[in-house]
Amino acid sequence: MARCLALFFVFTCVNRVLYTRGSCGARSEPTVPQGAAGCGCGNLKRDAALEPVEDRTASADPDDKYSRGANERSSEAQGDEKKTQSQMVLISGGQFLMGTDNPGIAADGEGPQRLVHVDSFYMDIQEVTNQQFQSFVNATAYITEAETFGDSFVFEGILSESVKNQITQAVAAAPWWLPVKGANWRHPDGPDSNIANILAHPVLHVSWADAVAYCSWANRRLPTEAEWEYACRGGLKDRRYPWGNKLNPKGQHYANLWQGDFPNHNSAEDGYIKTSPVKSFPANAFGLYDMAGNAWEWTSDWWTVHHTTDQQHNPTGPPSGTDKVKKGGSYMCHKSYCYRYRCEARSQNTPDSTASNLGFRCVSRGQQ
Ligand SMILES: *[C@@H]1O[C@H](CO)[C@@H](O)[C@H](O)[C@H]1NC(C)=O
Ligand SMILES: [Ca+2]
Ligand SMILES: [Ca+2]
């Protein structure tokens, strides 16, 4: 398929045979603090602007892809789906300090710290799992964007040798990200992998529209960044992590992150080289699991690094943009290059980006 794959910091088209269409316009490289450039769990994206128009028309509206099937569901099937959907917890509204004046990665727009109010909402206690996503797809015949595009980004460290050997291109600034044909939510580590033994792990390789489609089907929606961050903090003020300020209180791991020397050696001291089953680590004070680490989570907000310090009520981000905000970091994050598993940390992707460390969870106004 004719597409160009872009990184935020570097744009490169390595293989002209595969990427026959479109010239690769260079993006300007913003100044970034040490530790942010080349972040392995950060800025991977498809370049939506370079997509051929005809590829995007037929299935551009996610509603087209799933509503018909959803209407044909039997009531028995609906009961089964209900059972597999995530439990939710009430997040009582209130005021909190969003962002920080002491940013880990200033270029990400973590600051300034600002007073924000959010109304009460319910939030999935866990990331949406493969099984939950499968029940959605079974009921609706929904086809994800990665399936339509025919490929997705997979971290080199989890690919089989045979798949790796077939790949002749990489992203210059982050050579550990490989565009893999046949990688999608059903085949998260590449075409020769499947989800049979990881049904309780977060679904991956889902675009922003895929996440929105799932949440709407479940009568839910994606959280705003403010809701996500408020929930992440679990009522704690000025703490970096959902559980407090220490990464490993009493020597315990509280999140599925990367230990060791990225990207070459993952010691998996926390027990997991890749994703973990959801709820494998302690919940925060609101009863939410894996807010930091495991899979990155899409939010509904468009990305900006400029925030007003005027007090905000239920902010929803800029009205438009090119990238969506994702939160929480992933199993690939290590302080040395991706210090983004903090509540105020943030990163961005184009909405059609999909990768082996990016998932989501849903929220709703009322109880489900
Ligand atoms: C989806 O359908 C497949 C094939 O019928 C079945 O094996 C699987 O258990 C279903 N998944 C869910 C979550 O209902
Ligand atoms: Ca880990
Ligand atoms: Ca997460």
Side-chain angles (χ1 to χ4, degrees), residues 127 228 289-297 327-330 361:
E127 297 148 335
W228 195 100
Y289 295 85
D290 302 300
M291 292 298 279
N294 212 18
W296 277 101
E297 299 174 26
K327 297 284 276 185
S330 81
R361 79 179 70 205

Side-chain angles (χ1 to χ4, degrees), residues 256-259 270 272-273 331:
N256 183 4
L257 304 172
W258 182 292
Q259 296 85 40
D270 59 18
Y272 301 95
I273 286 194
Y331 67 91

Side-chain angles (χ1 to χ4, degrees), residues 111-345:
Q113 194 175 61
R114 54 216 184 263
L115 197 57
V116 167
H117 175 276
V118 294
D119 290 340
S120 297
F121 60 100
Y122 288 82
M123 188 174 224
D124 289 357
I125 62 170
Q126 59 185 60
E127 297 148 335
V128 172
T129 63
N130 285 319
Q131 181 165 35
Q132 288 164 347
F133 201 79
Q134 190 181 56
S135 91
F136 158 62
V137 168
N138 280 6
T140 63
Y142 182 85
I143 295 169
T144 61
E145 291 202 80
E147 288 168 289
T148 303
F149 285 129
D151 63 21
S152 188
F153 282 102
V154 182
F155 171 53
E156 182 191 13
I158 61 181
L159 274 177
S160 69
E161 285 301 321
S162 70
V163 171
K164 225 186 292 184
N165 290 340
Q166 290 163 24
I167 296 170
T168 54
Q169 61 195 140
V171 183
W176 49 84
W177 279 117
L178 299 180
V180 175
K181 281 185 186 164
N184 57 53
W185 74 275
R186 300 172 195 274
H187 307 288
D189 301 349
D192 54 357
S193 66
N194 66 62
I195 58 170
N197 295 319
I198 51 168
L199 287 170
H201 289 228
V203 64
L204 305 172
H205 300 289
V206 280
S207 70
W208 186 84
D210 298 335
V212 167
Y214 174 93
C215 291
S216 328
W217 171 78
N219 212 9
R220 302 176 186 187
R221 61 175 171 83
L222 284 179
T224 65
E225 182 181 9
E227 287 169 336
W228 195 100
E229 186 169 326
Y230 179 70
C232 179
R233 291 177 183 280
L236 298 175
K237 205 176 145 193
D238 265 335
R239 297 291 194 280
R240 289 241 137 144
Y241 307 116
W243 55 88
N245 267 339
K246 284 191 177 162
L247 182 58
N248 302 123
K250 296 185 175 136
Q252 296 297 301
H253 289 280
Y254 276 68
N256 183 4
L257 304 172
W258 182 292
Q259 296 85 40
D261 175 24
F262 184 87
N264 301 314
H265 181 243
N266 186 343
S267 70
E269 198 186 280
D270 59 18
Y272 301 95
I273 286 194
K274 304 188 275 186
T275 54
S276 39
V278 298
K279 305 195 282 185
S280 295
F281 294 85
N284 75 358
F286 287 167
L288 302 167
Y289 295 85
D290 302 300
M291 292 298 279
N294 212 18
W296 277 101
E297 299 174 26
W298 287 112
T299 74
S300 55
D301 292 29
W302 290 108
W303 172 265
T304 180
V305 295
H306 305 292
H307 313 292
T308 177
T309 49
D310 296 346
Q311 188 177 350
Q312 300 280 295
H313 281 253
N314 302 315
T316 54
S320 61
T322 55
D323 292 346
K324 288 290 183 179
V325 177
K326 62 179 182 178
K327 297 284 276 185
S330 81
Y331 67 91
M332 288 174 62
C333 280
H334 183 273
K335 187 170 183 178
S336 65
Y337 69 98
C338 178
Y339 185 34
R340 289 193 171 95
Y341 40 88
R342 294 167 291 115
C343 293
E344 64 259 21

